[in-house]
Amino acid sequence: MMRRPVMLICALAVMVTALSGCWSRKELGDLAVAIGLGIDRTDKGYRVTVQIVAPSLAAASSGGSGGPPALVVDTEAATIMEALRKLTTKLPRKIYLSHLSMLLLDEAMAKDGIRKPLDFLFRDHEVRPDFDVAIVRDGSAYDALSIMTPLERLPARDLYDSLNGSQKNWAPTSAVRLLDLMKWFDLDGQEAVLTGLHLVGNLEKGKTKENVESINSPLKFEYRGIGVMKDDVLLGWLNENDSKAYNYVTGKVKSTVGKVDCPDKAGTFVMEVLQAKSRIIPKLHNGQPSATVKITIEANIAEVECSLDLNSREVLDMMKTQAAKRTQELIAGGIRKVQSDFGVDIFGFGTKFHKKYPAYWASKHNQWNEEFSKMDVKVVMDYIIKGRGRIVNPPLKEEEP
């Protein structure tokens, strides 16, 4: 009978020990929560800029006191870790990186290589690698994180939402997370890419309240172009069409629009892509690689600026043919551009050869970029028109014969 009370006491003791709390917990009042991080190359090493949430000021601004909901602090040091710890000389709290939305890198550092400065972020257990990474073109990460944005109270969040929104609805950008970079750096057969960020307008006014109080903000940011990497080094930039081609081939196009010449008439029409799927088919013939890219697109007719009878099946077929031809040329041109100007496989053709032809890959993977640059790639389109909109024919006056 005595065993039951003893066992009960032991069980209670174990439960009390388990509920004693988390040994590694951190109090919110002791932390400066970072939402944006910027790294610029300097003569001293790195200039690290942190955009942190100011909870008390954010609450005050919602009540009308006018205080900014975020603060920007920066410092320089030989390494990233040293710079982050050195920021405690300017802040009463330790920087907490688990809630980052954006990491911005300056273009000069990207051209030297980003693997070393990112080592701390890859390694640190407090960093969750689900934030986006972009390169500031012709500017500094410090300036980009210092601007005030009108749509979002937290500027770093605005940068994050805009990048993901542009990839989803427009397509010439690519939202790349730190986790994606970690995978690419250890992947044979596909090189990394990063989207470029431009600052357009008056930089000094962009850092003041005037940027959010004016109907036409003096300074705006704009994502423009996808940067081609070789290992961790930035080689150069793709233009808008070639960036869109990259997203088509890699299956990242969720929705976009494209202008097409009207068949047999002056003017253009616009197709709204609703869904796009891609498939890379590798081929090996007499030891020579080639590939076919199959693209399937479903789209609506979104805008028509010429006189076309959209009740005619023949006219719809001609429009489909024109749209497919235009998209095929865009994708094929983007692939050739990367092959000729950069000579690195950012599309992932190599990963397909690795999977299908392991013996060939074992002998060629060290010089795959050279093989890719001269490889024949064919683009095949399957284009489907799903709808014509609320009206059938455009409200245009028929052209005189």
Side-chain angles (χ1 to χ4, degrees):
M1 295 296 294
M2 291 294 295
R3 292 180 59 189
R4 182 174 295 179
V6 172
M7 292 177 63
L8 180 60
I9 292 171
C10 291
L12 289 173
V14 171
M15 292 175 62
V16 169
T17 303
L19 296 174
S20 60
C22 179
W23 67 271
S24 62
R25 72 177 183 180
K26 294 178 173 63
E27 298 294 338
L28 185 61
D30 298 331
L31 302 174
V33 179
I35 53 172
L37 181 67
I39 305 175
D40 296 297
R41 175 76 75 185
T42 69
D43 294 336
K44 296 180 180 179
Y46 303 102
R47 182 184 193 182
V48 173
T49 305
V50 182
Q51 187 179 110
I52 61 175
V53 179
S56 59
L57 294 180
S61 66
S62 63
S65 71
L71 298 175
V72 171
V73 290
D74 70 291
T75 190
E76 290 184 67
T79 66
I80 306 300
M81 184 65 171
E82 287 177 300
L84 287 170
R85 289 299 177 91
K86 190 176 177 180
L87 283 172
T88 57
T89 63
K90 300 183 178 183
L91 291 169
R93 303 179 182 184
K94 180 185 175 182
I95 301 296
Y96 187 60
L97 298 175
S98 290
H99 295 285
L100 278 177
S101 295
M102 282 297 307
L103 168 64
L104 299 179
L105 312 172
D106 78 315
E107 190 170 2
M109 186 180 70
K111 290 180 177 179
D112 287 340
I114 63 175
R115 190 188 293 264
K116 287 183 179 179
L118 293 187
D119 181 83
F120 164 73
L121 295 173
F122 292 154
R123 193 178 301 277
D124 190 84
H125 69 281
E126 288 186 354
V127 175
R128 294 186 297 187
D130 58 354
F131 51 86
D132 286 341
V133 186
I135 297 173
V136 183
R137 302 178 62 177
D138 302 319
S140 70
Y142 169 79
D143 288 336
L145 286 175
S146 298
I147 67 173
M148 299 185 70
T149 54
L151 291 181
E152 288 284 349
R153 298 296 295 162
L154 300 174
R157 191 67 198 182
D158 201 354
L159 291 167
Y160 174 88
D161 290 342
S162 296
L163 179 55
N164 286 270
S166 64
Q167 176 182 279
K168 181 178 179 181
N169 298 302
W170 181 227
T173 59
S174 184
V176 175
R177 299 174 302 163
L178 185 71
L179 182 61
D180 299 323
L181 284 179
M182 294 170 68
K183 292 178 179 178
W184 271 328
F185 287 162
D186 293 325
L187 182 66
D188 280 338
Q190 186 174 9
E191 301 285 356
V193 299
L194 285 173
T195 296
L197 175 70
H198 278 269
L199 300 179
V200 182
N202 189 311
L203 181 59
E204 295 307 315
K205 289 185 178 180
K207 298 177 182 180
T208 67
K209 290 181 63 176
E210 184 178 348
N211 212 50
V212 297
E213 293 176 342
S214 172
I215 194 171
N216 185 16
S217 301
L219 180 70
K220 304 178 179 70
F221 67 83
E222 176 183 343
Y223 287 108
R224 187 190 310 165
I226 288 176
V228 177
M229 313 286 287
K230 184 177 182 181
D231 191 20
D232 67 331
V233 176
L234 176 67
L235 300 181
W237 298 94
L238 299 179
N239 62 25
E240 184 173 276
N241 284 340
D242 296 335
S243 297
K244 188 175 287 189
Y246 165 80
N247 280 329
Y248 269 119
V249 176
T250 55
K252 294 183 178 180
V253 173
K254 305 301 180 184
S255 178
T256 187
V257 297
K259 183 176 69 173
V260 187
D261 291 333
C262 291
D264 301 327
K265 288 181 179 289
T268 59
F269 65 94
V270 176
M271 299 300 297
E272 178 192 14
V273 174
L274 305 174
Q275 186 178 49
K277 297 180 180 179
S278 69
R279 182 185 173 202
I280 296 175
I281 304 171
K283 298 178 182 179
L284 199 60
H285 182 69
N286 294 330
Q288 298 299 314
S290 63
T292 299
V293 180
K294 287 191 173 183
I295 306 290
T296 302
I297 291 178
E298 296 181 3
N300 282 338
I301 299 172
E303 186 176 350
V304 180
E305 296 184 351
C306 56
S307 296
L308 294 172
D309 182 7
L310 302 188
N311 282 314
S312 167
R313 172 54 58 185
E314 181 181 1
V315 170
L316 290 176
D317 286 343
M318 288 192 296
M319 294 175 73
K320 181 177 71 172
T321 300
Q322 287 286 92
K325 179 183 176 183
R326 188 257 181 193
T327 308
Q328 189 273 340
E329 291 174 346
L330 180 145
I331 296 172
I335 295 172
R336 288 194 299 270
K337 175 77 170 180
V338 175
Q339 287 178 305
S340 61
D341 289 10
F342 302 106
V344 295
D345 181 6
I346 60 174
F347 303 102
F349 290 101
T351 61
K352 302 300 181 181
F353 278 94
H354 187 186
K355 183 176 181 180
K356 188 172 183 180
Y357 303 106
Y360 165 80
W361 182 254
S363 64
K364 295 292 185 180
H365 77 276
N366 286 331
Q367 60 260 31
W368 171 246
N369 282 328
E370 181 181 348
E371 294 291 314
F372 162 76
S373 65
K374 58 187 181 183
M375 181 178 70
D376 180 58
V377 180
K378 182 180 179 181
V379 179
V380 177
M381 298 293 305
D382 182 13
Y383 207 102
I384 303 167
I385 295 180
K386 298 288 288 185
R388 296 167 291 179
R390 288 194 301 172
I391 61 173
V392 177
N393 288 319
L396 301 174
K397 183 179 180 181
E398 188 66 35
E399 298 175 359
E400 296 294 333

